[in-house]
Amino acid sequence: MKNTIKVERAKKDMTQQDLAEKVQVSRQTINSIEAGKYVPSTVLALKISKVFGVALEEIFELEEND
């Protein structure tokens, strides 16, 4: 699953830690999601999209192999 979390964080000048605190997960979880090593739950994906104020589909995208 591809995502634009790093880009969205940059737009809001947020660190991984800032985002992690807002969605109540560890910084390592955000890092793993950004790296594509971890697919977030639906609830977590919705929380992340809400923090950035953009649609879920604008942040997360299925890759052809997913």
Side-chain angles (χ1 to χ4, degrees):
M1 176 176 279
K2 295 190 291 185
N3 68 74
T4 60
I5 294 174
K6 190 171 185 177
V7 172
E8 295 298 331
R9 280 194 308 101
K11 288 179 188 176
K12 294 201 176 277
D13 196 32
M14 292 177 75
T15 65
Q16 288 181 341
Q17 185 64 42
D18 294 335
L19 178 58
E21 289 172 6
K22 287 185 181 295
V23 297
Q24 300 174 315
V25 297
S26 69
R27 183 201 59 78
Q28 291 87 346
T29 297
I30 300 300
N31 182 273
S32 294
I33 295 169
E34 286 184 3
K37 296 177 182 175
Y38 175 75
V39 177
S41 68
T42 304
V43 172
L44 180 53
L46 287 167
K47 285 181 179 181
I48 292 170
S49 68
K50 188 173 183 177
V51 167
F52 295 129
V54 297
L56 186 71
E57 300 84 12
E58 291 181 39
I59 298 175
F60 296 97
E61 182 181 332
L62 288 176
E63 294 180 289
E64 287 196 26
N65 295 342
D66 287 345

Coordinates of all heavy atoms in Angstrom, one line a residue:
M1 N 0.8 -1.2 0.0 CA 0.0 0.0 0.0 C 0.9 1.2 0.0 O 1.8 1.4 0.9 CB -0.9 0.0 1.2 CG -1.8 1.2 1.4 SD -2.9 1.2 2.7 CE -4.2 0.2 2.0
K2 N 0.7 2.1 -1.0 CA 1.4 3.4 -1.0 C 0.7 4.4 -0.2 O -0.5 4.3 0.0 CB 1.5 3.9 -2.5 CG 2.3 3.0 -3.4 CD 2.5 3.6 -4.8 CE 1.3 3.7 -5.6 NZ 1.5 4.3 -6.9
N3 N 1.5 5.4 0.3 CA 0.8 6.5 1.0 C 1.6 7.8 0.9 O 2.8 7.7 0.5 CB 0.6 6.1 2.5 CG 2.0 6.0 3.2 OD1 2.6 7.0 3.5 ND2 2.4 4.8 3.5
T4 N 1.0 8.9 1.2 CA 1.6 10.2 1.1 C 1.7 10.8 2.5 O 1.7 12.1 2.6 CB 0.8 11.1 0.2 OG1 -0.5 11.2 0.7 CG2 0.7 10.5 -1.2
I5 N 1.9 10.0 3.5 CA 1.9 10.6 4.9 C 3.1 11.5 5.0 O 3.0 12.6 5.6 CB 2.0 9.4 5.9 CG1 0.7 8.7 5.9 CG2 2.3 10.0 7.3 CD1 0.7 7.4 6.8
K6 N 4.3 11.1 4.5 CA 5.4 12.0 4.6 C 5.2 13.4 4.0 O 5.6 14.4 4.6 CB 6.7 11.3 4.0 CG 8.0 12.0 4.3 CD 9.1 11.1 3.9 CE 10.4 11.7 4.3 NZ 11.6 10.9 4.0
V7 N 4.6 13.3 2.8 CA 4.3 14.6 2.1 C 3.3 15.4 2.9 O 3.5 16.6 3.1 CB 3.7 14.3 0.7 CG1 3.2 15.6 0.1 CG2 4.8 13.6 -0.1
E8 N 2.2 14.8 3.4 CA 1.2 15.5 4.2 C 1.8 16.1 5.5 O 1.5 17.2 5.9 CB 0.1 14.6 4.5 CG -0.7 14.1 3.3 CD -1.4 15.3 2.6 OE1 -1.7 16.3 3.2 OE2 -1.6 15.1 1.4
R9 N 2.8 15.3 6.1 CA 3.4 15.8 7.3 C 4.2 17.0 7.0 O 4.2 18.0 7.8 CB 4.3 14.7 7.9 CG 3.7 13.7 8.7 CD 4.6 12.9 9.6 NE 5.7 12.3 8.9 CZ 7.0 12.7 8.9 NH1 7.3 13.8 9.6 NH2 7.9 12.1 8.2
A10 N 4.9 17.0 5.9 CA 5.8 18.1 5.5 C 4.9 19.4 5.3 O 5.3 20.5 5.6 CB 6.6 17.8 4.2
K11 N 3.8 19.2 4.6 CA 2.9 20.4 4.4 C 2.5 21.0 5.7 O 2.3 22.3 5.8 CB 1.6 19.9 3.7 CG 1.8 19.5 2.2 CD 0.5 19.1 1.7 CE 0.6 18.5 0.3 NZ -0.7 18.0 -0.2
K12 N 2.3 20.2 6.8 CA 1.9 20.8 8.1 C 3.1 20.9 9.0 O 2.9 21.2 10.2 CB 0.9 19.9 8.7 CG -0.4 19.8 7.9 CD -1.6 19.4 8.7 CE -2.9 19.4 8.0 NZ -3.5 20.8 8.0
D13 N 4.3 20.7 8.5 CA 5.5 20.9 9.3 C 5.4 20.0 10.6 O 5.7 20.5 11.7 CB 5.8 22.3 9.7 CG 7.2 22.6 10.2 OD1 8.1 21.9 9.8 OD2 7.4 23.5 11.1
M14 N 5.0 18.8 10.4 CA 4.9 17.8 11.5 C 5.9 16.8 11.5 O 6.3 16.3 10.5 CB 3.5 17.1 11.5 CG 2.3 17.9 11.7 SD 0.8 16.9 11.4 CE 0.8 16.0 12.9
T15 N 6.4 16.4 12.7 CA 7.3 15.2 12.8 C 6.5 13.9 12.9 O 5.3 14.0 13.1 CB 8.2 15.3 14.0 OG1 7.3 15.2 15.2 CG2 9.0 16.7 14.1
Q16 N 7.2 12.8 12.7 CA 6.5 11.5 12.9 C 6.0 11.5 14.4 O 4.9 11.0 14.6 CB 7.5 10.4 12.7 CG 7.8 10.2 11.3 CD 8.8 9.0 11.0 OE1 9.4 8.6 12.0 NE2 8.9 8.5 9.8
Q17 N 6.7 12.0 15.3 CA 6.3 12.0 16.7 C 5.0 12.8 16.9 O 4.1 12.4 17.6 CB 7.4 12.5 17.6 CG 7.0 12.4 19.1 CD 6.9 10.9 19.6 OE1 7.7 10.1 19.2 NE2 5.9 10.7 20.4
D18 N 4.9 14.0 16.3 CA 3.7 14.8 16.3 C 2.5 14.1 15.9 O 1.5 14.1 16.5 CB 3.9 16.1 15.5 CG 5.0 17.1 16.0 OD1 5.3 17.0 17.2 OD2 5.5 17.8 15.1
L19 N 2.6 13.4 14.7 CA 1.5 12.7 14.1 C 1.2 11.5 15.0 O 0.0 11.3 15.3 CB 1.8 12.2 12.7 CG 0.8 11.4 12.0 CD1 -0.6 12.1 12.0 CD2 1.2 10.9 10.7
A20 N 2.2 10.8 15.5 CA 1.9 9.6 16.4 C 1.1 10.0 17.6 O 0.2 9.3 18.0 CB 3.3 9.0 16.8
E21 N 1.5 11.1 18.2 CA 0.7 11.6 19.4 C -0.7 11.9 19.1 O -1.6 11.6 19.8 CB 1.5 12.8 20.0 CG 2.8 12.4 20.7 CD 3.6 13.6 21.2 OE1 3.1 14.7 21.1 OE2 4.7 13.3 21.6
K22 N -0.9 12.6 17.9 CA -2.3 12.9 17.5 C -3.2 11.7 17.3 O -4.4 11.8 17.5 CB -2.3 13.9 16.3 CG -1.8 15.3 16.6 CD -1.9 16.1 15.4 CE -1.4 17.5 15.6 NZ -2.1 18.3 16.6
V23 N -2.6 10.7 16.8 CA -3.4 9.5 16.5 C -3.2 8.3 17.5 O -3.7 7.2 17.3 CB -3.2 9.0 15.0 CG1 -3.6 10.0 14.0 CG2 -1.8 8.6 14.8
Q24 N -2.5 8.6 18.5 CA -2.3 7.7 19.7 C -1.6 6.4 19.3 O -2.1 5.3 19.6 CB -3.6 7.5 20.4 CG -4.2 8.8 20.9 CD -5.6 8.6 21.5 OE1 -6.4 7.9 20.9 NE2 -5.8 9.2 22.7
V25 N -0.5 6.5 18.5 CA 0.3 5.3 18.3 C 1.8 5.7 18.5 O 2.1 6.9 18.8 CB 0.1 4.8 16.8 CG1 -1.3 4.3 16.5 CG2 0.5 5.8 15.8
S26 N 2.7 4.8 18.4 CA 4.1 5.1 18.5 C 4.7 5.7 17.3 O 4.1 5.6 16.2 CB 4.9 3.8 18.9 OG 4.9 3.0 17.7
R27 N 5.8 6.4 17.4 CA 6.5 7.0 16.3 C 6.9 5.9 15.3 O 6.9 6.0 14.1 CB 7.7 7.8 16.7 CG 8.4 8.5 15.6 CD 9.8 8.9 15.9 NE 10.7 7.8 16.3 CZ 11.2 6.9 15.4 NH1 11.0 7.0 14.1 NH2 11.9 5.9 15.9
Q28 N 7.3 4.7 15.9 CA 7.7 3.6 15.1 C 6.6 3.1 14.2 O 6.9 2.7 13.1 CB 8.3 2.5 16.0 CG 9.6 2.8 16.7 CD 9.4 3.5 18.0 OE1 8.3 4.0 18.3 NE2 10.5 3.6 18.8
T29 N 5.4 3.2 14.7 CA 4.2 2.8 13.9 C 4.1 3.7 12.6 O 3.9 3.2 11.5 CB 2.9 2.8 14.7 OG1 3.1 1.8 15.7 CG2 1.7 2.4 13.8
I30 N 4.2 5.0 12.9 CA 4.1 5.9 11.8 C 5.3 5.7 10.8 O 5.1 5.7 9.6 CB 4.2 7.4 12.3 CG1 3.0 7.7 13.2 CG2 4.2 8.4 11.1 CD1 1.6 7.5 12.6
N31 N 6.5 5.5 11.3 CA 7.6 5.2 10.5 C 7.4 3.9 9.6 O 7.6 3.9 8.4 CB 8.9 5.0 11.3 CG 10.1 4.7 10.5 OD1 10.4 3.6 10.2 ND2 10.8 5.8 10.2
S32 N 6.8 2.9 10.2 CA 6.6 1.6 9.5 C 5.5 1.8 8.4 O 5.6 1.3 7.3 CB 6.1 0.5 10.4 OG 7.2 0.2 11.3
I33 N 4.5 2.6 8.7 CA 3.4 2.9 7.7 C 4.0 3.7 6.5 O 3.8 3.4 5.4 CB 2.2 3.7 8.3 CG1 1.5 2.8 9.4 CG2 1.3 4.1 7.3 CD1 0.5 3.6 10.2
E34 N 4.8 4.7 6.8 CA 5.4 5.5 5.8 C 6.3 4.7 4.9 O 6.4 4.9 3.7 CB 6.2 6.7 6.4 CG 5.4 7.8 6.9 CD 6.3 9.0 7.4 OE1 7.5 8.9 7.3 OE2 5.7 9.9 7.9
A35 N 7.0 3.7 5.5 CA 8.0 2.9 4.7 C 7.2 1.8 4.0 O 7.9 1.0 3.2 CB 9.0 2.3 5.7
G36 N 5.9 1.6 4.2 CA 5.2 0.6 3.5 C 5.3 -0.8 4.1 O 5.0 -1.8 3.5
K37 N 5.9 -0.8 5.3 CA 6.1 -2.1 6.0 C 4.9 -2.6 6.8 O 4.8 -3.7 7.3 CB 7.3 -2.0 6.9 CG 8.6 -1.8 6.2 CD 9.8 -1.7 7.1 CE 11.1 -1.4 6.3 NZ 12.2 -1.1 7.2
Y38 N 4.0 -1.6 7.1 CA 2.8 -1.9 7.9 C 1.6 -1.2 7.3 O 1.7 -0.1 6.9 CB 3.1 -1.3 9.3 CG 1.9 -1.4 10.3 CD1 1.6 -2.7 10.9 CD2 1.2 -0.3 10.6 CE1 0.5 -2.8 11.7 CE2 0.1 -0.4 11.5 CZ -0.2 -1.6 12.1 OH -1.3 -1.7 12.9
V39 N 0.5 -2.0 7.2 CA -0.7 -1.5 6.7 C -1.6 -1.1 7.9 O -1.9 -2.0 8.7 CB -1.4 -2.5 5.8 CG1 -2.8 -1.9 5.3 CG2 -0.6 -2.8 4.6
P40 N -2.0 0.1 8.0 CA -2.8 0.6 9.2 C -4.2 0.0 9.2 O -4.7 -0.4 8.1 CB -2.8 2.1 9.1 CG -2.7 2.3 7.6 CD -1.8 1.3 7.1
S41 N -4.7 -0.1 10.4 CA -6.1 -0.5 10.5 C -7.0 0.6 9.8 O -6.6 1.7 9.6 CB -6.5 -0.7 11.9 OG -6.5 0.6 12.6
T42 N -8.2 0.2 9.6 CA -9.2 1.2 9.0 C -9.3 2.4 10.0 O -9.3 3.6 9.5 CB -10.5 0.6 8.8 OG1 -10.4 -0.6 7.9 CG2 -11.5 1.6 8.1
V43 N -9.4 2.1 11.2 CA -9.6 3.2 12.2 C -8.4 4.1 12.2 O -8.5 5.4 12.2 CB -9.9 2.6 13.6 CG1 -9.8 3.7 14.7 CG2 -11.2 1.9 13.7
L44 N -7.2 3.6 12.2 CA -6.0 4.4 12.2 C -5.9 5.2 10.9 O -5.5 6.4 11.0 CB -4.7 3.5 12.4 CG -3.4 4.2 12.4 CD1 -3.4 5.4 13.5 CD2 -2.3 3.2 12.7
A45 N -6.2 4.6 9.8 CA -6.1 5.3 8.5 C -7.1 6.5 8.5 O -6.8 7.6 8.1 CB -6.4 4.3 7.4
L46 N -8.3 6.3 9.1 CA -9.2 7.4 9.2 C -8.8 8.5 10.1 O -8.9 9.7 9.8 CB -10.6 6.8 9.7 CG -11.4 6.0 8.7 CD1 -12.5 5.3 9.3 CD2 -11.9 6.9 7.5
K47 N -8.1 8.1 11.2 CA -7.6 9.1 12.1 C -6.5 9.9 11.5 O -6.5 11.2 11.6 CB -7.0 8.4 13.4 CG -8.0 7.9 14.4 CD -7.3 7.3 15.6 CE -8.2 6.8 16.6 NZ -7.5 6.2 17.8
I48 N -5.6 9.3 10.7 CA -4.6 10.0 10.0 C -5.1 10.9 9.0 O -4.7 12.1 8.9 CB -3.6 9.0 9.3 CG1 -2.8 8.2 10.4 CG2 -2.6 9.7 8.4 CD1 -2.0 7.0 9.9
S49 N -6.1 10.5 8.2 CA -6.7 11.4 7.2 C -7.4 12.6 7.8 O -7.4 13.7 7.3 CB -7.7 10.6 6.3 OG -8.8 10.2 7.0
K50 N -8.0 12.3 9.0 CA -8.7 13.4 9.7 C -7.7 14.5 10.2 O -7.9 15.7 10.1 CB -9.5 12.9 10.9 CG -10.4 13.9 11.6 CD -11.2 13.2 12.6 CE -12.2 14.3 13.2 NZ -13.1 13.7 14.2
V51 N -6.5 14.0 10.7 CA -5.5 15.0 11.2 C -5.1 15.9 10.0 O -4.9 17.1 10.2 CB -4.2 14.2 11.7 CG1 -3.1 15.1 11.9 CG2 -4.6 13.5 13.0
F52 N -5.0 15.3 8.8 CA -4.5 16.1 7.7 C -5.7 16.9 7.0 O -5.4 17.7 6.1 CB -3.8 15.3 6.7 CG -2.5 14.7 7.2 CD1 -2.2 13.3 7.1 CD2 -1.5 15.5 7.8 CE1 -1.0 12.8 7.6 CE2 -0.4 15.0 8.3 CZ -0.1 13.7 8.3
G53 N -6.9 16.5 7.3 CA -8.0 17.1 6.7 C -8.2 16.8 5.2 O -8.7 17.6 4.4
V54 N -7.8 15.6 4.8 CA -7.9 15.2 3.4 C -8.6 13.8 3.4 O -8.6 13.1 4.4 CB -6.6 15.1 2.7 CG1 -5.9 16.5 2.6 CG2 -5.6 14.2 3.3
A55 N -9.2 13.5 2.2 CA -9.8 12.2 2.1 C -8.8 11.1 2.2 O -7.7 11.2 1.8 CB -10.5 12.1 0.7
L56 N -9.3 10.0 2.8 CA -8.5 8.8 2.9 C -7.8 8.3 1.6 O -6.7 8.0 1.6 CB -9.5 7.7 3.4 CG -8.9 6.3 3.9 CD1 -8.1 6.5 5.1 CD2 -9.9 5.3 4.0
E57 N -8.6 8.4 0.5 CA -8.1 8.0 -0.8 C -6.9 8.9 -1.3 O -6.2 8.5 -2.1 CB -9.2 8.0 -1.8 CG -10.3 7.1 -1.5 CD -11.4 7.7 -0.6 OE1 -11.3 8.9 -0.3 OE2 -12.2 6.9 -0.1
E58 N -6.8 10.1 -0.7 CA -5.7 11.0 -1.1 C -4.4 10.6 -0.4 O -3.4 11.0 -0.9 CB -6.1 12.4 -0.8 CG -7.2 13.0 -1.7 CD -7.5 14.4 -1.4 OE1 -6.6 15.2 -1.2 OE2 -8.7 14.8 -1.4
I59 N -4.5 9.9 0.7 CA -3.3 9.5 1.4 C -2.9 8.1 1.2 O -1.7 7.8 1.0 CB -3.6 9.7 3.0 CG1 -3.9 11.2 3.3 CG2 -2.4 9.2 3.8 CD1 -4.2 11.4 4.7
F60 N -3.9 7.2 1.1 CA -3.6 5.8 0.9 C -4.1 5.3 -0.4 O -5.2 5.6 -0.9 CB -4.3 4.9 2.0 CG -3.8 5.2 3.4 CD1 -4.4 6.1 4.2 CD2 -2.6 4.7 3.9 CE1 -4.0 6.4 5.5 CE2 -2.1 5.0 5.1 CZ -2.8 5.9 5.9
E61 N -3.2 4.5 -1.1 CA -3.6 3.9 -2.4 C -3.1 2.5 -2.5 O -1.9 2.2 -2.1 CB -2.9 4.8 -3.5 CG -3.2 4.3 -4.9 CD -2.5 5.2 -5.9 OE1 -2.3 6.4 -5.6 OE2 -2.3 4.7 -7.0
L62 N -3.9 1.6 -2.9 CA -3.5 0.2 -3.1 C -2.5 0.1 -4.3 O -2.7 0.8 -5.3 CB -4.7 -0.7 -3.4 CG -5.6 -1.0 -2.2 CD1 -6.8 -1.8 -2.7 CD2 -4.9 -1.7 -1.1
E63 N -1.5 -0.7 -4.1 CA -0.6 -1.0 -5.2 C -1.2 -2.1 -6.0 O -2.1 -2.8 -5.5 CB 0.8 -1.3 -4.7 CG 1.5 -0.1 -4.0 CD 2.8 -0.5 -3.5 OE1 3.0 -1.2 -2.6 OE2 3.8 0.0 -4.2
E64 N -0.7 -2.3 -7.2 CA -1.3 -3.4 -8.1 C -1.2 -4.8 -7.4 O -2.1 -5.6 -7.6 CB -0.6 -3.4 -9.4 CG -1.1 -2.2 -10.3 CD -0.7 -2.4 -11.7 OE1 -0.6 -3.6 -12.2 OE2 -0.6 -1.4 -12.4
N65 N -0.2 -5.0 -6.6 CA 0.0 -6.4 -6.0 C -0.8 -6.5 -4.7 O -0.8 -7.6 -4.2 CB 1.5 -6.6 -5.7 CG 2.3 -6.7 -7.0 OD1 1.8 -6.9 -8.0 ND2 3.6 -6.5 -6.8
D66 N -1.4 -5.4 -4.2 CA -2.2 -5.5 -2.9 C -3.5 -6.2 -3.1 O -4.3 -6.3 -3.7 CB -2.4 -4.1 -2.3 CG -1.1 -3.6 -1.8 OD1 -0.1 -4.4 -1.6 OD2 -1.0 -2.4 -1.5

